[in-house]
Amino acid sequence: SALFNSAAQISGGELKLYDSSLTLAAGVSMTNSSKLGLRNTNFAGSSKVALTGGTLELGGTLGNLSSVQTDPNTSLELNSDTTISRTDPMEAAGLNLNAFSLTLGSDTTDLTINSPLELNSAASKLITQDADLVLQDSLQLNAGEITSTAGTFTFTKGGTLGSSGILDVSGTTLKLSDNLSAGNGTLTSNPSDLTNTSVLHLLDDVTLTFNGEKFFKALEHNGNTLTLDGGEYDSLKLVDPLTLNAGTLHTQGTGLHLHGALTLQNNSLIDSTGGTLALYRHISYGEIGNSTIQSRALAGLANNTVIFCMPGSTGACKTAWTGIIKDQLDSMHKPCNFAPHITIGKKCESREQ
């Protein structure tokens, strides 16, 4: 155990407290590349250890790490599997997991990392639970896991997943300022049900690369451009209604499945070279069986104009009209229809003659 009754300063030195307690009746200042080593350490007292740069080594279970103050130049590294809890956010220059796991133990243990974060071992795990994680630089997740059950992930410079990398954003708001390439790894959002609470939030124009089906409760585009870079059998599925306001969504060959209504405002755009509408596929399956996987359809509302983009065959257009469009243009159709949102245009003069 260690006790500081009066203020102390450590310059270029090391303070190691493994399986012990630290009582801070007065503050401790550590400068000039000093190192503070902690493992299963308990804290008491109202003062703090203040690290200016240097290294904070962590291990085991650490009670109330708010007793340690880091700065943007302090590096974090693990000496064993670690759980930390704080009542205030923590900022660090970098994080070296050393093939261990770091668990953020409360929703107030928010963590900001200022340099690139790279994970290369399957044993490396960053488990944020309900806390927020901010990466100010790039993410290279070659192997290992970064998982969350709530809170926010903010990836300022995007990230790349390798074949053994797992990024689980279940129940989380994923904020992107740059491209996220998860096509080679595993990107997990929520299960395919309407209780989905994951949110995709754009801070800038972004390309999202993935494989399989990805469910999000909502897309918050904020007037930015989202480009989907998936394959023919991949799809982005949104539970809540989607309203684009001065935003653009390029689906390319990736499916876009909407459980709610689509509204386009202020010159917003959705373009696709192979996007699909899940409702159309469901209806056409009874007619053409599993060949419906090749059906390409999209529908939405832009500037009070309903737009239906259907496959080119006569049969497909007939299916779309009888199964979807006719009822959606009928003001008597329940529980909802497009009629209240449509602006009635001027009649064609040739038809008035």
Side-chain angles (χ1 to χ4, degrees), residues 126-131 146-153 168-172:
L126 178 53
I127 305 166
T128 66
Q129 301 191 108
D130 295 350
I146 299 179
T147 66
S148 174
T149 54
T152 299
F153 280 173
D168 189 340
V169 297
S170 299
T172 303

Side-chain angles (χ1 to χ4, degrees), residues 176-178 201-207 221-222 224-226:
L176 298 176
S177 296
D178 208 336
H201 180 103
L202 304 187
L203 298 170
D204 206 334
D205 296 342
V206 165
T207 295
H221 64 92
N222 301 308
N224 296 303
T225 296
L226 174 62

Side-chain angles (χ1 to χ4, degrees), residues 229-256:
D229 187 12
E232 180 180 359
Y233 304 108
D234 306 322
S235 60
L236 175 66
K237 300 191 174 186
L238 301 175
V239 176
D240 286 357
L242 174 61
T243 298
L244 294 182
N245 190 343
T248 301
L249 177 54
H250 299 298
T251 66
Q252 302 191 105
T254 309
L256 176 64

Side-chain angles (χ1 to χ4, degrees), residues 39 57-60 77-82 95-103 119 121-127 144-145:
R39 183 190 297 157
E57 182 189 74
L58 304 171
E77 61 180 46
L78 302 190
N79 56 46
S80 65
D81 292 340
T82 304
L95 172 63
N96 187 352
L97 293 174
N98 287 324
F100 295 116
S101 66
L102 174 61
T103 301
L119 276 64
S121 169
S124 295
K125 298 179 181 180
L126 178 53
I127 305 166
E145 302 177 18

Side-chain angles (χ1 to χ4, degrees), residues 274-319:
T276 58
L277 181 64
L279 176 60
Y280 179 84
R281 279 187 175 178
H282 173 73
I283 292 174
S284 64
Y285 182 85
E287 299 180 5
I288 61 175
N290 57 23
S291 293
T292 190
I293 194 67
Q294 299 186 36
S295 299
R296 297 175 177 179
L298 189 66
L301 185 67
N303 298 325
N304 296 320
T305 300
V306 179
I307 300 172
F308 295 97
C309 303
M310 294 296 116
S313 70
T314 302
C317 291
K318 181 179 179 181
T319 297

Side-chain angles (χ1 to χ4, degrees), residues 72-88:
N73 298 310
T74 303
S75 295
L76 304 181
E77 61 180 46
L78 302 190
N79 56 46
S80 65
D81 292 340
T82 304
T83 298
I84 62 174
S85 297
R86 298 176 62 92
T87 58
D88 58 337

Side-chain angles (χ1 to χ4, degrees), residues 20 33 54 59-60 63 71 85 97 140 158 173 206 267 269 286 321 333 340:
S20 61
S33 302
D71 73 3
S85 297
L97 293 174
Q140 186 67 46
T173 296
V206 165
N267 298 315
L269 171 68
W321 172 256
H333 181 73

